[in-house]
Amino acid sequence: MMIQIYLIVFNYTISLSKYHDLVLSICLMDNSISMLSTNILELRDALGLSQKDFALLANISRTTLGNIESGRNNFKISSLDGILNFTSIKLEDLSKESFTPPKNLRERLMEKYKIEPSVFVILNEEPSIPYCIKYKLLKTNFLDLPKETNQIIKFFNDKYGWTLKGNSLHAALKRMSDLIEIQPHPNKQSTNLYSRRKLV
């Protein structure tokens, strides 16, 4: 038998199941939507999923996920349910400024959903470039010394069998200016060198 949880609001008893959005809104009152959006985007990077695939696995529309990730307020708070259920992450944790995705989250979910082929197949596809950089490349010392794009592509191909495109890799590295330092090659025109940004 389902236990009903009630809130007393202006002397009215309100069923939690009926006013789910209200309850979740209260949970988020003290946290900025932009923080939640940043954390969900980081969560997707940690899963190595495209926006399309993450929306599919979280059982929400791609438009809704786009609204959530961009910090727009025009989405129902209950839209987060699919993300929370799929990843088993609590809303309270996802709303914190200190949030970091659980270690090896992609691998843990692959293990969890290995008996669900429709989910496992998606999780087993070649991951997104942000995942490749943040959760694989930067976990090694490979970028301690500057490398060209073709060297980074070879690293992924040799180690994981992943085939990354040069232009897409460059664009992703350029967006990660807080993690990656980019400098022109001293001897080759129109060529960049990429290295791990030193912590100040």
Side-chain angles (χ1 to χ4, degrees):
M1 180 176 169
M2 181 178 167
I3 298 173
Q4 290 287 331
I5 302 174
Y6 295 91
L7 294 175
I8 307 301
V9 180
F10 302 111
N11 295 323
Y12 288 95
T13 304
I14 303 177
S15 168
L16 176 60
S17 59
K18 187 176 179 183
Y19 288 91
H20 185 253
D21 274 2
L22 172 64
V23 175
L24 287 179
S25 295
I26 292 169
C27 291
L28 287 175
M29 272 181 158
D30 296 328
N31 300 285
S32 107
I33 292 292
S34 65
M35 179 56 61
L36 184 67
S37 300
T38 299
N39 289 343
I40 288 176
L41 187 54
E42 185 61 37
L43 180 63
R44 180 161 67 82
D45 282 353
L47 291 169
L49 295 171
S50 66
Q51 199 173 66
K52 175 186 173 184
D53 285 341
F54 190 34
L56 180 65
L57 294 177
N59 199 28
I60 56 177
S61 73
R62 187 174 180 178
T63 300
T64 297
L65 180 58
N67 288 339
I68 293 170
E69 289 186 349
S70 62
R72 297 191 188 100
N73 290 327
N74 56 336
F75 67 89
K76 291 183 178 180
I77 298 299
S78 59
S79 299
L80 298 173
D81 281 352
I83 295 173
L84 302 175
N85 291 335
F86 169 62
T87 60
S88 299
I89 292 175
K90 296 176 182 176
L91 179 62
E92 178 187 355
D93 295 331
L94 197 55
S95 305
K96 291 178 181 175
E97 186 175 356
S98 60
F99 172 78
T100 54
K103 190 176 180 181
N104 299 323
L105 180 61
R106 179 182 171 93
E107 290 78 8
R108 287 163 61 178
L109 290 183
M110 286 175 70
E111 180 64 24
K112 177 181 177 180
Y113 292 107
K114 66 182 178 183
I115 58 172
E116 295 183 39
S118 59
V119 176
F120 183 79
V121 165
I122 294 173
L123 285 172
N124 201 38
E125 289 177 356
E126 186 167 297
S128 65
I129 294 179
Y131 171 88
C132 294
I133 296 169
K134 291 182 191 177
Y135 293 92
K136 293 301 179 184
L137 183 64
L138 290 176
K139 299 296 182 183
T140 72
N141 60 3
F142 186 75
L143 285 188
D144 287 354
L145 296 175
K147 299 291 192 301
E148 296 179 33
T149 305
N150 59 355
Q151 292 175 295
I152 299 173
I153 290 172
K154 186 176 186 306
F155 167 86
F156 285 119
N157 192 267
D158 290 349
K159 193 168 178 67
Y160 302 104
W162 299 336
T163 308
L164 277 61
K165 294 181 179 177
N167 290 339
S168 299
L169 178 61
H170 167 72
L173 289 164
K174 193 174 179 182
R175 285 194 299 271
M176 296 181 187
S177 57
D178 57 327
L179 301 172
I180 304 293
E181 187 173 339
I182 305 175
Q183 55 193 26
H185 197 291
N187 304 319
K188 297 181 182 178
Q189 283 192 339
S190 303
T191 302
N192 290 319
L193 290 173
Y194 305 89
S195 59
R196 183 195 305 274
R197 185 169 289 283
K198 305 293 188 295
L199 296 175
V200 180

